[in-house]
Amino acid sequence: MRTGLNSLLILAFCLGLTACSDKKDEQAAAESAAKVHKQKIQTSIDRLVQWPEKDLRDRARKAVMEQRWVKPSGNSALEYYLALRQKLKTPDESVETAITDIVPYAVIGMDQAIAKFDDREALRLEGLIRLADPNAPALARVKTDLEKMKARQAAAEASAATEEEDKAAAEAKALADAAKAKEEAARKAKEATAGQPAATPVVQAPAPVVQAPAPVVQAAPPPEPVAQQPAAKAAIVPISTPQPPYPREALASGTKGEVVAEITINGAGDVTGVRIISASPRNVFDKTVQSTVRRWKYRGNGETTTIRRTFAFN
């Protein structure tokens, strides 16, 4: 009986060591992914910090006007203001206020990315939120989900690196095999040539000279009339076509949708009509599309042009 008890204790101890090892491996993978992702975020901000302060402020204001709060990566309002904060090194009330106002959009985007299992986007936004406010409540709320994502991201990056190495090795092997086959073919051709007797030269008799008859010159037929091709219609060139802003009510409720609009542009490049072809859901995004598109400006081509555009609100 004493021997059986000892065996059970040893088994329990081994299982405990295995569980601890697995947990440590997962934690190490998550920490490694977090470190790499933080470096990527910091690198993008460091790149923007190199710009002059005036350019950063101008681009930040433009991003806010176009409602590019947190996207696209490297060209969003939050990233410009974070770069401004880092560049100024002293508190600036306007910059801090802007960051405080934009962080909620980053939180909403992070939550949506987590729901869609979009690890890359969720971790990018998490890094921006952490730079803006390391103690943001949203970070503690989604800590478990983010750790799982970081572990998956680390595994995906390791798998991609392995695939690249395998691909490079396969390409190197294919090149070596092709060179070897070419060398072998040249060797066999040389051996075959060396084994054949030299060919006796054949003397060709000169061909008889035949006088060609004098050519008969005929009058050229009259040229056929060339049909005039209609001039191609010049394309219109957009000058100012900002995207419709996301309605605040729809953004707050997380409503998504799509609008297809038919746009009529006169010869001077002004929008003279906006007709909604389809909208889902109805009467949510229609108004913002119509009011924004009516202010669009093109370089006209002298003729009335009708185009269609699809506006996605995600």
Side-chain angles (χ1 to χ4, degrees):
M1 180 174 182
R2 187 177 184 85
T3 303
L5 181 59
N6 290 337
S7 300
L8 289 174
L9 289 174
I10 293 172
L11 178 60
F13 180 72
C14 292
L15 290 174
L17 285 177
T18 303
C20 290
S21 176
D22 293 342
K23 186 174 183 180
K24 288 180 179 178
D25 290 343
E26 292 178 0
Q27 184 177 1
E31 291 175 353
S32 175
K35 184 177 180 181
V36 171
H37 195 73
K38 183 178 180 181
Q39 290 174 346
K40 290 181 179 178
I41 293 294
Q42 193 61 48
T43 300
S44 68
I45 299 300
D46 289 341
R47 185 173 62 253
L48 294 177
V49 169
Q50 307 304 318
W51 292 14
E53 178 185 346
K54 182 179 182 302
D55 290 352
L56 285 174
R57 290 187 182 275
D58 291 344
R59 287 179 177 268
R61 283 193 291 267
K62 183 178 180 182
V64 169
M65 291 178 62
E66 296 178 358
Q67 297 191 347
R68 288 183 281 111
W69 307 114
V70 294
K71 292 192 294 187
S73 176
N75 190 20
S76 67
L78 183 54
E79 288 169 284
Y80 287 128
Y81 280 117
L82 288 173
L84 267 171
R85 173 200 274 177
Q86 185 172 325
K87 185 178 187 69
L88 296 175
K89 297 181 181 179
T90 55
D92 183 294
E93 184 177 354
S94 63
V95 172
E96 295 302 324
T97 301
I99 291 174
T100 302
D101 291 342
I102 298 173
V103 163
Y105 292 98
V107 173
I108 292 173
M110 180 181 67
D111 289 339
Q112 292 175 346
I114 291 174
K116 295 177 182 178
F117 295 97
D118 187 350
D119 294 0
R120 186 179 297 276
E121 180 65 6
L123 292 175
R124 184 183 74 85
L125 294 175
E126 182 260 350
L128 291 177
I129 295 169
R130 191 174 297 280
L131 284 177
D133 181 6
N135 299 317
L139 297 177
R141 173 171 55 82
V142 297
K143 180 179 179 181
T144 302
D145 292 331
L146 290 173
E147 287 179 350
K148 291 179 180 178
M149 284 190 172
K150 289 170 183 174
R152 287 200 298 268
Q153 191 76 7
E157 290 176 356
S159 177
T162 301
E163 289 180 1
E164 285 295 326
E165 291 176 359
D166 293 344
K167 182 179 179 181
E171 290 177 351
K173 185 177 182 302
L175 289 174
D177 291 344
K180 185 176 180 181
K182 185 176 180 180
E183 183 180 347
E184 182 67 16
R187 184 184 63 81
K188 290 182 177 179
K190 185 177 180 180
E191 292 177 351
T193 304
Q196 292 179 356
T200 303
V202 178
V203 178
Q204 295 285 346
V209 178
V210 179
Q211 294 291 334
V216 179
V217 180
Q218 296 182 351
E224 297 182 1
V226 179
Q228 295 291 331
Q229 297 292 333
K233 185 177 180 180
I236 57 174
V237 179
I239 297 175
S240 175
T241 56
Q243 293 301 304
Y246 212 118
R248 290 185 178 276
E249 296 81 0
L251 182 63
S253 62
T255 303
K256 302 177 183 179
E258 183 179 89
V259 175
V260 179
E262 184 178 82
I263 307 167
T264 302
I265 303 153
N266 64 16
D270 298 317
V271 175
T272 58
V274 181
R275 186 168 68 91
I276 302 300
I277 304 299
S278 64
S280 175
R282 299 287 297 178
N283 301 322
V284 175
F285 303 104
D286 311 42
K287 187 175 180 181
T288 186
V289 169
Q290 288 180 320
S291 61
T292 302
V293 173
R294 285 186 185 279
R295 298 194 299 271
W296 282 9
K297 181 65 179 176
Y298 290 83
R299 183 178 291 114
N301 59 2
E303 300 181 17
T304 299
T305 305
T306 301
I307 61 175
R308 284 195 180 188
R309 289 289 184 272
T310 300
F311 302 89
F313 296 85
N314 296 322

